[in-house]
Amino acid sequence: PTASTALRPAEPLHRARPRAVDVAFTPAAARRADVTVVIDVLRATTTIVRAFEAGYRRVLCAATLDAARALDAPGRVLAGERHCVRPPGFALGNSPDETDPPRGEVLVLATTNGTPAILRAAALSTDVLIGCLRNLDAVLDAVGDRDVQLLCAGTDGRPSLEDTYVAGRLVQRLGGQPAAAALLALAVAGERPDALAAGAGGRKLIA
């Protein structure tokens, strides 16, 4: 149970403003919460959302490559990365477009930052949602009027510009009052096509 968790598409709820919005810039800063939105826009949470769009019925998130291999079975597809590269023996990497068309019913995903962050959230939260730029409206619908924690996966244990940017976009839409001035600055900036490429994670991925 500590090595993997299963995800399914969230059921939409009515749109409303939550009572409180909290932001954890890294998994180490996560706290117990009723609802946590995990953000790893480059690339795990975007890959998960794209996998559901493509037709996968479930996504199993694994903390390690060995845990992912242990979940392999007929109808399941191993996907993931280490140092931005597809591991040996895995059918897919961690790029969203690789999930379409689907090669099975279940995607087993193990990544450096994203899936450990999801497992961290699952250990602390009743309800875990997956957030990226592709599904902001769906996340807002699923949060409804509940208090919410936004958990940024970051990069190698450090805060990342790209995940903070997406958190800022969500804070702006949720109407929350985060303590971090950086979040407010990113939210006010609005659409920033360069935000994903400007941070350390984006530069590493490009390289």
Side-chain angles (χ1 to χ4, degrees):
T2 60
S4 66
T5 192
L7 302 174
R8 289 176 291 276
E11 292 294 332
L13 301 176
H14 66 284
R15 175 75 59 81
R17 184 172 292 183
R19 290 187 297 273
V21 180
D22 189 22
V23 179
F25 292 95
T26 66
R31 61 171 180 82
R32 295 195 177 277
D34 289 336
V35 184
T36 295
V37 179
V38 181
I39 302 164
D40 184 21
V41 67
L42 296 178
R43 298 169 281 175
T45 56
T46 305
T47 297
I48 290 167
V49 170
R50 187 70 187 93
F52 285 132
E53 291 174 347
Y56 283 94
R57 298 183 64 182
R58 298 175 72 201
V59 176
L60 303 179
C61 293
T64 66
L65 299 182
D66 286 342
R69 293 185 181 102
L71 292 170
D72 196 13
R76 296 182 177 182
V77 181
L78 292 183
E81 56 77 28
R82 280 298 180 270
H83 307 295
C84 298
V85 177
R86 176 171 57 89
F90 278 52
L92 305 176
N94 186 32
S95 293
D97 286 349
E98 291 185 73
T99 63
D100 191 10
R103 300 190 187 185
E105 292 190 351
V106 178
L107 190 72
V108 179
L109 185 66
T111 72
T112 303
N113 301 297
T115 55
I118 292 167
L119 291 165
R120 169 75 171 162
L124 296 173
S125 302
T126 304
D127 193 4
V128 177
L129 305 175
I130 302 303
C132 66
L133 291 173
R134 291 184 71 90
N135 72 335
L136 292 183
D137 288 338
V139 167
L140 293 167
D141 285 339
V143 168
D145 61 357
R146 298 176 292 175
D147 294 347
V148 60
Q149 174 179 224
L150 307 179
L151 172 55
C152 299
T155 301
D156 299 328
R158 299 184 301 274
S160 67
L161 175 63
E162 61 272 12
D163 293 343
T164 302
Y165 170 71
V166 177
R169 293 281 299 276
L170 280 169
V171 168
Q172 185 182 41
R173 298 281 298 276
L174 289 164
Q177 299 294 326
L183 263 180
L184 285 176
L186 287 168
V188 170
E191 296 288 345
R192 285 194 50 185
D194 64 327
L196 302 187
R203 295 196 303 272
K204 182 177 180 180
L205 182 58
I206 291 170

